[in-house]
Amino acid sequence: MEKVKQFIDNDTIVGLMAYDVVIERSDSGMMVAKLVAPVMRTIDDPDSAMLEFPKGFVAYMYEGDTAPSSMIRGDYGVNHQKKELIIAKHNVVVKNVRTEEVLETETLFWDQKKRKIYTGGLVKISGPDKLIFGDSLTANENFSRREIFGIRATLEINEDE
């Protein structure tokens, strides 16, 4: 019986797992962000508490509206809670709903304190009328303002041709 008690004692549990997770963040009663994930695992490390999303996640950002203004999706994610930093990996997609622009990359850092996203990896940005390839990027979290470094190509898309 003592071994069973040790097994279920909260002090001995180093991580928890949750399924079909929805996390909402608000400010002054207004929705700011919402994160949806099929699996979430907590990792309790003495230096930093982390949430891991081993089967991917989708995060929505809101700007006063009831509909999201942008979205970030990745096949894997880690949220460093104390640093307020989310790292998205593998097939990362960022979409600005209003401009219909889409960023694709393999690794993306989302600094929630500064409300910035950035990557040091290759980026592809597609929009209704253009396609841009670059070496890295820094942008605000809703992807409406950005700086692309090492632009390799900008292609104008004309659907009439």
Side-chain angles (χ1 to χ4, degrees):
M1 197 65 184
E2 187 62 33
K3 289 189 184 219
V4 172
K5 184 179 181 295
Q6 282 180 332
F7 180 73
I8 61 171
D9 187 8
N10 285 341
D11 293 340
T12 63
I13 298 174
V14 293
L16 299 174
M17 189 169 284
Y19 298 93
D20 299 323
V21 175
V22 177
I23 300 171
E24 295 179 345
R25 194 168 105 196
S26 63
D27 183 12
S28 302
M30 299 290 288
M31 178 81 78
V32 176
K34 176 175 154 180
L35 186 133
V36 180
V39 177
M40 180 184 78
R41 182 176 20 223
T42 64
I43 302 171
D44 294 325
D45 182 304
D47 298 327
S48 118
M50 294 185 290
L51 299 176
E52 180 185 36
F53 306 98
K55 297 202 181 243
F57 71 94
V58 179
Y60 302 94
M61 277 62 68
Y62 297 81
E63 292 181 358
D65 297 335
T66 56
S69 61
S70 59
M71 176 273 296
I72 298 174
R73 182 191 67 74
D75 289 346
Y76 174 84
V78 176
N79 179 356
H80 297 271
Q81 293 178 293
K82 289 182 182 176
K83 296 178 186 177
E84 293 187 48
L85 176 69
I86 293 179
I87 302 170
K89 293 184 178 185
H90 311 300
N91 301 310
V92 178
V93 174
V94 178
K95 182 174 183 178
N96 181 311
V97 175
R98 290 185 179 105
T99 65
E100 297 180 13
E101 292 178 311
V102 176
L103 162 69
E104 297 173 66
T105 190
E106 278 303 303
T107 302
L108 185 78
F109 299 88
W110 175 16
D111 186 327
Q112 293 177 302
K113 283 183 191 173
K114 296 180 181 177
R115 301 187 74 157
K116 300 273 185 197
I117 60 173
Y118 56 93
T119 182
L122 297 175
V123 296
K124 173 185 169 187
I125 300 169
S126 54
D129 59 351
K130 66 182 164 263
L131 190 58
I132 303 168
F133 295 92
D135 290 334
S136 60
L137 168 134
T138 301
N140 60 344
E141 71 182 2
N142 71 6
F143 194 51
S144 63
R145 289 186 308 276
R146 62 183 173 257
E147 188 173 2
I148 305 164
F149 303 97
I151 293 178
R152 295 174 179 264
T154 302
L155 306 170
E156 299 293 326
I157 299 170
N158 186 349
E159 293 188 23
D160 294 336
E161 295 178 1

